[in-house]
Amino acid sequence: MGLIVWFRHDEDEQAPSPCPFTLMYGTTLWEVFRCDDAINALFNNAMAADSHFLMQIDLKEFGEVFHGIYSLVDITNGVGGATMAIVAEFPCFKCTILDLPHVIAKGPSSSIGNV
């Protein structure tokens, strides 16, 4: 089913129809990541590279928004790239990362600050 057909597809008004990926492959993208370590690593490495790049810009341009904050909860962070960049800039932060168990299990241990 193509994307245009999917947007027009409304079999059941109450339940959302599956996304195009699920329709094509019969499973969710997140299930593929959970079951395939190579694809999971590829996705997490891409997200970490993106986070590292963007957080350097964000902290340089908007770092003042973090002043006066001492704790941070980062939800669905991946392997912690954004949070580690924040803690490197603000080592007094106490940070908690929440994500799917298979993502946390593959994430790096941190010796930076309080991650």
Side-chain angles (χ1 to χ4, degrees):
M1 179 181 292
L3 196 55
I4 292 171
V5 175
W6 177 71
F7 277 118
R8 294 181 181 155
H9 183 72
D10 59 353
E11 286 180 343
D12 183 355
E13 297 286 330
Q14 300 302 315
S17 59
C19 71
F21 185 91
T22 301
L23 290 171
M24 181 73 175
Y25 297 104
T27 188
T28 66
L29 185 58
W30 310 114
E31 184 66 19
V32 171
F33 293 156
R34 189 181 70 75
C35 296
D36 188 321
D37 286 341
I39 292 175
N40 187 48
L42 181 67
F43 179 79
N44 285 328
N45 289 339
M47 294 301 291
D50 183 63
S51 292
H52 177 74
F53 172 73
L54 291 176
M55 284 310 299
Q56 299 306 311
I57 295 168
D58 290 344
L59 289 168
K60 182 179 179 184
E61 298 293 322
F62 308 108
E64 69 276 358
V65 301
F66 293 102
H67 291 263
I69 297 173
Y70 300 101
S71 66
L72 175 76
V73 177
D74 196 347
I75 301 172
T76 65
N77 180 313
V79 294
T83 300
M84 290 215 226
I86 293 168
V87 170
E89 186 74 21
F90 301 98
C92 63
F93 273 25
K94 178 176 179 0
C95 296
T96 303
I97 299 171
L98 302 175
D99 208 315
L100 297 170
H102 71 276
V103 176
I104 297 294
K106 303 269 187 214
S109 297
S110 174
S111 59
I112 301 173
N114 294 312
V115 178

